[in-house]
Amino acid sequence: MVFNDNFLKACRREKVEHIPVWYMRQAGRYQPEYKKIRESYTLMEIVHQPEICAEVTRMPVEELDVDAAILFSDIMTPIGAMGVPFEIRENIGPCIDNPIRNASDIARMKTPDFKKELSYVTETIQLLRQQLSVPLIGFCGAPYTLASYMVEGGPSKNYIHTKSMMYNNAIAWEALMNVLVDGMIEYLKLQIDAGAQALQVFDSWVGSFSREDYKAYVLPYMKRLFTSVKSYNNRIPLIHFGVNTAHLLDLIKEAGGDVIGLDWRISITDARNILGNDVAIQGNLDPTALYAPKNQLEEKASLILEQVKQSGFVFNLGHGVTPQVQVKTLKDLTHFVHDFELKN
Ligand code: CP3
């Protein structure tokens, strides 16, 4: 089994044989095999069973010829162990019946012994490292994105409860962000110890912030998260991803990450101009482009690839694969990117 390390090389801005590809939400409901497994188990039941979880993680790698696997899990997985029960509801997302709204709710949260509480995560990663011939990406949710689910009680449009706490109760906000940073540092370390070869931090909903508010309420916590994980292990590439973040990219880079994940609202050229040459870039095809005719989809992918002028690029979507996408569309796209002539 030859190990394909193009993804890790791209994260480190080294020369690659082909541009590496993976897709956010590459394991999911667009796959008939996944839907079949979901008839027998809930999402969290899959996550708790290492053999099945490893199988679901491997399925897209085998089916789409992508250059990396991402651990099948959810950003909420460690949150239950931190004392906040949640449920993932069909077509809605994570829901919390007793949302975190004040200092005493936060005081009840804990940084547990993750190694004990999340032993199934360790086991799944160890299994996958024996099975995979591509790198395994671990991940966590960023403190703000996690806080948004925990304070709102579920998905939200405007994050009114979360931002009310943030603006009105500085002590509670600091406490909540800090307990989440501490928890995610430990959770990422656990994934490193188990064998994860890269880590992605999903700050999916941070694009709702102005620059001023990002600096005041998010940046210091993200800096602490990235600095701490880097000092624990400086060889594991860290990917920092958010949606709708074109106006925040320099601050996101300042927060940390070897690779910055982009959505489709900014061009690779503009992002490169903001970010400079000392980070890698991951992205950024509009996930709805997967519904365009093949020639249009390939044109859109080419437009991205033609802007890649140096090493340090990972092809991905700008956000997750949606459930109605055809498996063949994604597989053909992987091959299209792999066959694209490298400019460097
Ligand atoms: O293949 C992969 O990318 C790994 C699996 C993965 C899942 N969730 C599985 C999942 C990853 C990386 C996540 C991260 C995650 N979860 C994020 C960050 C990425 C992003 O999309 O911005 C967020 C915000 C969540 C919270 C969450 N969980 C949402 C918004 C949803 C979708 C709700 C829905 O039903 O459409 C979930 C549920 C979820 N997590 C599914 C999957 C495959 C949906 C399918 C199912 O219930 O089986």
Side-chain angles (χ1 to χ4, degrees):
M1 191 162 72
V2 181
F3 189 76
N4 166 3
D5 64 352
N6 282 293
F7 165 75
L8 292 174
K9 283 185 171 153
C11 290
R12 299 188 184 116
R13 290 177 285 120
E14 294 166 7
K15 255 193 160 18
V16 289
E17 282 154 28
H18 60 250
I19 289 184
V21 183
W22 71 279
Y23 303 109
M24 288 186 277
R25 289 284 167 89
Q26 63 190 20
R29 286 168 300 189
Y30 75 96
Q31 293 174 300
E33 299 89 334
Y34 177 80
K35 282 199 284 200
K36 190 117 209 343
I37 292 174
R38 283 281 280 106
E39 284 170 16
S40 313
Y41 306 104
T42 65
L43 191 145
M44 288 316 291
E45 282 169 354
I46 297 173
V47 171
H48 277 83
Q49 300 178 75
E51 299 274 349
I52 300 169
C53 189
E55 184 191 342
V56 170
T57 303
R58 282 194 323 269
M59 269 170 6
V61 179
E62 286 152 16
E63 201 163 53
L64 305 177
D65 294 334
V66 286
D67 299 273
I70 181 160
L71 177 69
F72 187 80
S73 187
D74 195 83
I75 54 168
M76 299 306 283
T77 300
I79 297 304
M82 293 180 74
V84 183
F86 68 91
E87 198 190 324
I88 297 196
R89 299 213 178 109
E90 195 88 41
N91 300 318
I92 299 173
C95 295
I96 287 153
D97 285 339
N98 297 304
I100 302 288
R101 292 281 163 84
N102 55 45
S104 66
D105 295 334
I106 298 163
R108 280 197 294 273
M109 290 176 61
K110 54 183 180 180
T111 306
D113 180 353
F114 276 129
K115 282 216 157 61
K116 211 167 114 207
E117 303 252 350
L118 303 181
S119 56
Y120 53 90
V121 174
T122 302
E123 268 178 60
T124 306
I125 292 175
Q126 288 171 343
L127 257 182
L128 280 163
R129 282 298 306 275
Q130 293 164 20
Q131 297 167 339
L132 288 168
S133 56
V134 294
L136 175 65
I137 306 169
F139 71 91
C140 75
Y144 170 70
T145 293
L146 292 169
S148 79
Y149 285 107
M150 293 163 60
V151 180
E152 300 299 327
S156 169
K157 260 207 180 99
N158 301 316
Y159 315 102
I160 300 296
H161 292 291
T162 316
K163 290 195 174 173
S164 293
M165 180 196 284
M166 182 178 99
Y167 290 130
N168 292 291
N169 193 342
I171 291 171
W173 183 252
E174 203 182 319
L176 177 57
M177 292 296 271
N178 275 328
V179 74
L180 287 170
V181 171
D182 291 340
M184 292 313 107
I185 290 169
E186 292 311 311
Y187 183 50
L188 292 179
K189 284 185 185 171
L190 172 142
Q191 296 180 63
I192 293 175
D193 290 347
Q197 290 152 296
L199 296 165
Q200 177 151 327
V201 179
F202 284 96
D203 210 353
S204 302
W205 312 135
V206 82
S208 69
F209 276 76
S210 68
R211 291 178 60 83
E212 290 66 34
D213 281 358
Y214 184 87
K215 277 188 223 167
Y217 300 110
V218 180
L219 180 64
Y221 303 102
M222 292 300 272
K223 262 191 182 159
R224 186 159 80 80
L225 175 61
F226 279 98
T227 310
S228 179
V229 178
K230 260 283 148 208
S231 70
Y232 184 68
N233 185 321
N234 66 8
R235 287 166 296 114
I236 304 281
L238 303 178
I239 311 169
H240 188 166
F241 169 77
V243 181
N244 242 321
T245 53
H247 63 301
L248 301 175
L249 282 182
D250 56 326
L251 301 174
I252 284 179
K253 179 186 173 187
E254 188 185 332
D258 304 289
V259 185
I260 306 296
L262 307 175
D263 84 358
W264 59 96
R265 293 173 181 88
I266 185 163
S267 70
I268 300 297
T269 306
D270 287 350
R272 210 19 115 193
N273 284 336
I274 297 168
L275 291 169
N277 295 329
D278 55 349
V279 285
I281 285 179
Q282 174 176 281
N284 71 341
L285 184 75
D286 182 344
T288 63
L290 298 169
Y291 298 97
K294 192 174 166 121
N295 64 331
Q296 275 188 56
L297 168 59
E298 290 182 352
E299 254 174 58
K300 290 176 196 295
S302 301
L303 196 64
I304 292 170
L305 295 166
E306 279 158 9
Q307 295 176 70
V308 177
K309 304 283 188 229
Q310 60 183 85
S311 342
F313 184 77
V314 176
F315 188 91
N316 204 318
L317 305 176
H319 205 179
V321 181
T322 46
Q324 292 78 22
V325 165
Q326 298 294 312
V327 173
K328 187 174 183 318
T329 307
L330 278 175
K331 186 179 174 119
D332 289 350
L333 178 60
T334 310
H335 294 155
F336 180 80
V337 178
H338 283 168
D339 294 343
F340 196 86
E341 193 133 326
L342 274 181
K343 290 255 155 52
N344 53 16

